[in-house]
Structures are given as structure tokens and as C-alpha cells.
């Protein structure tokens, strides 16, 4: 590992149809519905079976992984920052470290020569006694100048973040449970953090960055309006 030191993108005009076309569409829809019932298919929502492929409500820029990971001691981290969502979920986030690695989340497509992937780790804590949604509020930013030309148009700025910083498509995973924290649990199709649980989360870029990117150049910000409602990104400081 080099340079060592956890949710909106949308990156349809409908034409009016005649009554006959609407009637045909309704007939087709009815036939499909009958076929579904006949074959025992019930469509409830994505991931209704609770499998690993279920779609969890997270920041769109991030993944939906909810791996429990192994138990680890509390890592050294920067000052925690508290957040509360409109639903009343309470979280505490504290940055741990940042860096680059050719495989920051295990097996992945090897980056082109001269490039690597950026990542950062942070501690995500449910600051309440009740379960809260397992979400990944933090986003990973890097200097746009350190993004290869081929991926630069995918590196997006955000309001309230320095103009020279941008965030590439990325995803997040729970990599470890802190001390005695219980693993995430499914509740009505969503993954939830048990009361008081703390996890180490790793966020990693899906597109490569220049190999000489320094860990000191990477930043963690919380910018989603669910958490930063004053339209300013909130930086998580590394220790």
C-alpha cells in the first residue's frame, strides 16, 4: 500500500398517445399482471428478499455494501462531528486516514499504469440508543489536477467545497466493527445500525487518480443536504 495515511447524481420526454394506444397499453399491462400472478411473482421493492444485492438507501455517489467485518479496537481518529437527519437519526463521524492503493477494497480492476485508487477510512457511529439507517454520509474529495484527463469530466465539484476539489464516482463498505459493536441488521428491507454501534467505513474511488497523489491532498466532506442543511460542506479532519 502506498501513501498510507466511511445518500445526487444523475450522470424523459413523454409523448401523448391516442386513446387507442392507451387502451392497448392497458391490455398489455393486464396480461403481464395476470402472467405474474400465474407464475407466483410478487414485486414488492428492490431487495425485498434481503439479499446482498438489495438496494439500500444511501448517498447515490456511494455503494450499498453492509459487510459486518471483523471486530477491531477503536482506531485513532480526528475530532468527531455529530449529524442529525430530518428523520431524527443521529450519527457521529470521525476521520481516520486517507491514502492510495491499487486495491483499496480487495479485488478490483487493475488501474492503468501510472494511476491508482484513492480511499479514506472513517468511524461511523450511531449516537442513539435505537437503530438508525446504515448510511454513508462522507464523500471523498481530491484535487482535480490529480485526476487523469480521461476521468476529469467525471470528477464533480460540490457547493461549499473548495473549487479546486472534486469527487469521483466511489463506493463505501463497512470494513470492521469497532470493539463490541453488533453487526448491521435488516429491518423492512433496509440495513440498520444497532443502537450505539460504531463501524470503520472505507470509501474508495471507482475511477483512478494519478499515482503521485499524496494522502495529504485527500479530504473527507459531508455535503448532502440531509446532513449539511446550510449548503456548506463540513470537513472531517484527520488525526
Amino acid at each position: 500500500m502506498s501513501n498510507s495515511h466511511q445518500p445526487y447524481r444523475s450522470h424523459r420526454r413523454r409523448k401523448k398517445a391516442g386513446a387507442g394506444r392507451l387502451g392497448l397499453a392497458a391490455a398489455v399491462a393486464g396480461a403481464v399482471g395476470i402472467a405474474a400472478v400465474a407464475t407466483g411473482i410478487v414485486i414488492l421493492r428492490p431487495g425485498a428478499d434481503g439479499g446482498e444485492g438489495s438496494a439500500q438507501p444511501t448517498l447515490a455517489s456511494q455503494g450499498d455494501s453492509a459487510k459486518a467485518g471483523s471486530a477491531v479496537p477503536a482506531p485513532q481518529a480526528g475530532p468527531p462531528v455529530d449529524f442529525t437527519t430530518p428523520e431524527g437519526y443521529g450519527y457521529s463521524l470521525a476521520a481516520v486516514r486517507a491514502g492510495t492503493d491499487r486495491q483499496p477494497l480487495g479485488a478490483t480492476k487493475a488501474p492503468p499504469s501510472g494511476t491508482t485508487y484513492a480511499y479514506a477510512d472513517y468511524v461511523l457511529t450511531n449516537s442513539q440508543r435505537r437503530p438508525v439507517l446504515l448510511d454513508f454520509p462522507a464523500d471523498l474529495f481530491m484535487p482535480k489536477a490529480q485526476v487523469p484527463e480521461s476521468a476529469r469530466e467525471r470528477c464533480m465539484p460540490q457547493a461549499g467545497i473548495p473549487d479546486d476539489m472534486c469527487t469521483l464516482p466511489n463506493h463505501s463498505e463497512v470494513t470492521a466493527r469497532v470493539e463490541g459493536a453488533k453487526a448491521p441488521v435488516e429491518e423492512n428491507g433496509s440495513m440498520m445500525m444497532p443502537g450505539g454501534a460504531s463501524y470503520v467505513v472505507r470509501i474508495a474511488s471507482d475511477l483512478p487518480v494519478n499515482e503521485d497523489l499524496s494522502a495529504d491532498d485527500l479530504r473527507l466532506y459531508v455535503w448532502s443536504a440531509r446532513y449539511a442543511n446550510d449548503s456548506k460542506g463540513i470537513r472531517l479532519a484527520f488525526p
Side-chain angles (χ1 to χ4, degrees):
M1 182 179 297
S2 61
N3 293 341
S4 176
H5 11 280
Q6 80 206 206
Y8 291 87
R9 276 190 199 102
S10 58
H11 289 345
R12 2 190 194 251
R13 223 178 246 191
R14 297 181 179 173
K15 297 181 179 179
K16 294 182 179 180
R21 187 174 298 176
L22 288 174
L24 177 60
V28 172
V32 172
I34 293 172
V37 172
T39 56
I41 298 174
V42 179
I43 303 175
L44 298 176
R45 59 181 177 273
D49 60 355
E52 286 188 2
S54 61
Q56 307 302 338
T58 65
L59 293 179
S61 64
Q62 306 195 358
D64 60 0
S65 173
K67 296 179 181 178
S70 58
V72 299
Q76 182 179 1
V81 181
D82 296 328
F83 299 90
T84 302
T85 70
E87 302 89 348
Y89 295 143
Y91 304 89
S92 176
L93 279 72
V96 175
R97 65 178 182 174
T100 59
D101 195 290
R102 293 177 66 84
Q103 294 184 320
L105 283 170
T108 187
K109 181 179 179 181
S113 177
T115 66
T116 186
Y117 296 106
Y119 74 89
D121 295 336
Y122 64 95
V123 175
L124 172 68
T125 300
N126 173 2
S127 58
Q128 298 179 334
R129 294 182 178 180
R130 62 169 180 150
V132 301
L133 182 70
L134 174 59
D135 208 350
F136 302 117
D139 209 352
L140 179 62
F141 285 78
M142 66 281 297
K144 193 168 186 177
Q146 290 288 356
V147 177
E149 191 69 36
S150 60
R152 200 161 293 174
E153 66 178 12
R154 301 289 305 279
C155 202
M156 306 301 294
Q158 293 294 341
I161 310 296
D163 294 339
D164 62 337
M165 305 291 287
C166 61
T167 179
L168 285 168
N170 54 57
H171 64 288
S172 299
E173 289 185 8
V174 173
T175 59
R177 294 173 288 110
V178 176
E179 296 178 341
K182 295 181 180 179
V185 295
E186 183 185 4
E187 184 177 301
N188 298 324
S190 296
M191 297 305 297
M192 308 294 287
M193 297 180 65
S198 289
Y199 303 139
V200 177
V201 174
R202 172 162 290 189
I203 177 172
S205 64
D206 293 331
L207 297 178
V209 297
N210 291 339
E211 196 170 44
D212 59 354
L213 175 69
S214 168
D216 294 335
D217 291 332
L218 295 170
R219 302 282 187 273
L220 275 177
Y221 284 95
V222 176
W223 58 267
S224 168
R226 278 174 51 80
Y227 302 94
N229 55 17
D230 58 358
S231 300
K232 293 182 179 180
I234 300 172
R235 181 176 172 181
L236 303 179
F238 293 104

